């Protein structure tokens, strides 16, 4: 049943996503949403709080600088244990437009809480305003595989004959950054294989139970 709901949900947001592509003007050189900050030191200083990265200050102007800072080694086994025992809470995501980065908070798009990895599937939770203006909660189910050595999550699309992949490029102090495509963005009708998104998550052991509770309560109404 959840699988059917996921397919219907993905189909319902495809139109919004395709319209959003048009709004972003991916290939026309328009950088209105990107900015033209040229002071390299200022971009880095905005990101840093002492010797730590201040993820609240990540913007489309300094994503490239953030990526340069994501070069610390981490324990891949500890990462896998954390991903499978905690909710992976979405804080921000930035789309590579080809002309720069776009902060991926668009009106009409779903509000994603995050995801929880199970044994063979993972569940994505969130809410969305439907065509009647009512808030609906959703739980999408994705088949996946995970390669521990490369810290890469493979998500089987429910819209296309394609498997997305996203690699963890940062894991420290309860923050996880994925670079690639996750099931969260399984909504486009074309060019899905060429997309690149940087996702910033935090880890919360209590989140999966709370997300399930909220979804179950809404579903029971």
């Amino acid at each position: 049943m959840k699988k059917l709901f996921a397919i219907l949900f993905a189909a319902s947001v495809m139109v919004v996503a395709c319209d959003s592509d048009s709004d972003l003007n991916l290939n026309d050189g328009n950088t209105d949403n990107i900015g033209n900050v040229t002071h390299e030191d200022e971009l880095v200083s905005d990101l840093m709080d002492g010797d730590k990265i201040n993820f609240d200050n990540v913007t489309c102007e300094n994503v490239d600088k953030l990526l340069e800072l994501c070069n610390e080694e981490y324990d891949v086994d500890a990462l896998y244990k954390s991903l499978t025992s905690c909710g992976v809470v979405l804080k921000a995501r930035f789309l590579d437009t080809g002309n720069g980065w776009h902060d991926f908070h668009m009106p009409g798009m779903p509000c994603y809480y995050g995801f929880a990895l199970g044994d063979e599937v993972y569940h994505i939770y969130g809410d969305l305003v439907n065509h009647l203006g009512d808030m609906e909660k959703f739980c999408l189910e994705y088949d996946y595989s995970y390669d521990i050595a490369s810290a890469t999550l493979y998500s089987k699309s429910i819209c296309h004959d394609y498997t997305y992949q996203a690699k963890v490029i940062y894991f420290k102090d309860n923050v996880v950054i994925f670079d690639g495509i996750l099931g969260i963005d399984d909504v486009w009708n074309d060019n899905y294989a060429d997309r690149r998104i940087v996702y910033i998550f935090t880890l919360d052991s209590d989140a999966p139970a709370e997300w399930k509770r909220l979804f179950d309560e809404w579903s029971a109404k």
Side-chain angles (χ1 to χ4, degrees):
M1 189 68 180
K2 287 184 178 179
K3 194 73 170 182
L4 175 60
F5 176 81
I7 294 173
L8 294 174
F9 172 88
S12 70
V13 298
M14 275 184 191
V15 173
V16 177
C18 292
D19 289 344
S20 300
D21 276 355
S22 178
D23 293 340
L24 287 176
N25 296 318
L26 299 187
N27 297 312
D28 67 358
N30 186 343
T31 57
D32 291 344
N33 289 319
I34 299 169
N36 295 299
V37 178
T38 58
H39 302 289
E40 299 291 315
D41 291 340
E42 290 182 7
L43 290 177
V44 174
S45 65
D46 287 344
L47 279 173
M48 302 305 295
D49 183 6
D51 60 351
K52 294 185 177 181
I53 300 173
N54 187 339
F55 293 97
D56 291 334
N57 286 349
V58 179
T59 68
C60 48
E61 287 86 5
N62 58 27
V63 172
D64 284 326
K65 291 301 171 185
L66 171 67
L67 295 177
E68 291 177 10
L69 296 172
C70 294
N71 55 11
E72 294 187 40
E73 293 186 2
Y74 57 82
D75 186 330
V76 293
D77 293 315
L79 169 64
Y80 180 67
K81 182 177 180 180
S82 295
L83 290 175
T84 53
S85 62
C86 296
V88 187
V89 183
L90 181 63
K91 294 300 182 182
R93 73 195 207 278
F94 298 89
L95 171 70
D96 184 356
T97 69
N99 296 315
W101 296 93
H102 177 79
D103 191 344
F104 218 157
H105 292 107
M106 296 184 296
M109 289 297 286
C111 172
Y112 294 100
Y113 306 152
F115 66 88
L117 292 181
D119 292 334
E120 297 181 353
V121 301
Y122 70 88
H123 295 92
I124 299 171
Y125 294 90
D127 55 50
L128 173 70
V129 178
N130 65 21
H131 66 286
L132 298 176
D134 299 324
M135 184 68 72
E136 295 185 1
K137 297 193 181 300
F138 59 82
C139 174
L140 307 179
E141 186 175 287
Y142 276 81
D143 295 330
Y144 82 95
S145 62
Y146 182 83
D147 182 72
I148 296 177
S150 65
T152 301
L153 178 63
Y154 298 91
S155 308
K156 181 71 175 75
S157 172
I158 57 176
C159 302
H160 313 286
D161 183 19
Y162 189 77
T163 298
Y164 301 104
Q165 58 180 298
K167 178 180 175 60
V168 175
I169 60 171
Y170 183 91
F171 172 53
K172 184 178 180 181
D173 298 331
N174 223 37
V175 175
V176 177
I177 298 179
F178 280 89
D179 186 347
I181 294 289
L182 296 168
I184 286 173
D185 288 293
D186 183 23
V187 294
W188 286 286
N189 282 326
D190 57 9
N191 298 328
Y192 48 88
D194 300 322
R195 306 287 177 174
R196 182 194 182 190
I197 297 176
V198 170
Y199 305 82
I200 301 175
F201 294 93
T202 56
L203 300 170
D204 184 344
S205 59
D206 296 326
E210 177 63 11
W211 294 337
K212 185 177 185 303
R213 182 189 69 79
L214 291 172
F215 177 73
D216 289 345
E217 287 183 356
W218 175 82
S219 298
K221 291 181 180 178

